[in-house]
Amino acid sequence: MLFRSGLLIETNLQNLPSGEHGFHIHENPDCNAQADENGNIMPALAAGGHFDPQKTGHHLGPHGNGHKGDLPALNVTTSGTADSKFYAPNLTVAEIKNRSIIIHAGGDNYQDKPLPLGGGGKRIACGIIK
């Protein structure tokens, strides 16, 4: 398959809870836990928000004109694996270097309603992109 622009992302993941999960590039190359505005310690909060260099403030999915860090939802099998290929048309390798990639507990509807950031919820896995 020939793409004029964008990025092909391949996953080979194990030991995840089965089902659909939000999957995003986040701003910072840091997977440390931090306290949120209420003082609750949250996993990988140091990764910051979704990568949104144009400061759109919109969560519109991987083919929309919102956060560039929005990726297609990650589907994990009942055996806890996710071997997938994703096309991210709005990203380049240079843009995602020194950022993080996050898997969220829940799915992602690419809207901010009824829950913020697609309803993905807490961060359950994090990696640094080098």
Side-chain angles (χ1 to χ4, degrees):
M1 186 180 303
L2 178 65
F3 300 116
R4 295 188 191 272
S5 63
L7 188 62
L8 181 64
I9 298 171
E10 296 184 44
T11 66
N12 181 4
L13 304 169
Q14 302 172 9
N15 300 317
L16 293 168
S18 65
E20 185 176 280
H21 299 275
F23 192 46
H24 309 103
I25 305 296
H26 283 248
E27 298 172 310
N28 307 319
D30 191 339
C31 290
N32 288 308
Q34 284 187 338
D36 67 9
E37 63 275 0
N38 298 319
N40 300 312
I41 301 299
M42 305 297 288
L45 197 59
H50 293 183
F51 177 53
D52 187 17
Q54 284 80 31
K55 308 273 187 253
T56 67
H58 297 291
H59 185 62
L60 302 173
H63 299 283
N65 291 318
H67 301 159
K68 287 185 88 173
D70 288 348
L71 299 175
L74 182 69
N75 289 301
V76 179
T77 67
T78 56
S79 63
T81 61
D83 295 315
S84 306
K85 290 183 182 181
F86 299 100
Y87 176 59
N90 298 322
L91 291 174
T92 67
V93 171
E95 288 177 310
I96 67 168
K97 277 185 109 169
N98 297 313
R99 302 205 182 278
S100 58
I101 191 161
I102 300 276
I103 300 171
H104 292 268
D108 191 340
N109 69 2
Y110 305 113
Q111 299 175 35
D112 288 318
K113 294 179 183 179
L115 297 171
L117 300 174
K122 74 177 190 172
R123 301 165 187 203
I124 60 169
C126 179
I128 305 301
I129 302 168
K130 302 229 176 208

